[in-house]
């Protein structure tokens, strides 16, 4: 598959067979496309953008019992196990 810098499919894909995919391209679109995503410019500045990954294990299952919630009217609901994100 050949895709232009702006996401337009120019040729292909070939499905279920082998072959050659060809398309006429405009080389001026390359420089215009770089204005949309400047990977060497402000996107690459660690003082502006950062990624934080929290690897600490998390509890996802919490249980509740009726003694903790005396206002509850349904014993089934107070004994239920809830999933929290």
């Amino acid at each position: 598959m050949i895709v232009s810098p702006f996401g337009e499919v120019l040729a292909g894909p070939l499905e279920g067979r082998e072959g050659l995919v060809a398309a006429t391209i405009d080389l001026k679109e390359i420089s215009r496309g770089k204005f949309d995503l400047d990977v060497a410019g402000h996107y690459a500045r660690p003082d502006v953008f950062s990624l934080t990954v929290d690897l600490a294990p998390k509890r996802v299952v919490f249980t509740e019992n009726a003694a903790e919630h005396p206002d509850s009217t349904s014993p089934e609901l107070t004994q239920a196990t809830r999933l929290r994100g």
Side-chain angles (χ1 to χ4, degrees):
M1 178 184 298
I2 302 173
V3 180
S4 77
F6 299 103
E8 177 187 358
V9 176
L10 301 176
L14 291 178
E15 295 180 9
R17 58 190 167 110
E18 292 184 19
L20 180 66
V21 177
T24 302
I25 59 171
D26 182 2
L27 295 178
K28 294 176 189 172
E29 283 190 6
I30 295 171
S31 60
R32 287 194 301 261
K34 288 183 179 182
F35 286 118
D36 289 344
L37 179 62
D38 183 14
V39 294
H42 73 281
Y43 291 100
R45 290 182 49 193
D47 61 323
V48 176
F49 296 100
S50 66
L51 172 66
T52 304
V53 179
D54 184 1
L55 298 176
K58 306 289 186 283
R59 286 183 50 193
V60 294
V61 177
F62 295 87
T63 59
E64 296 179 3
N65 61 35
E68 294 175 359
H69 299 284
D71 297 336
S72 178
T73 58
S74 171
E76 293 80 20
L77 290 177
T78 57
Q79 295 293 334
T81 301
R82 292 192 304 174
L83 294 178
R84 296 183 183 169

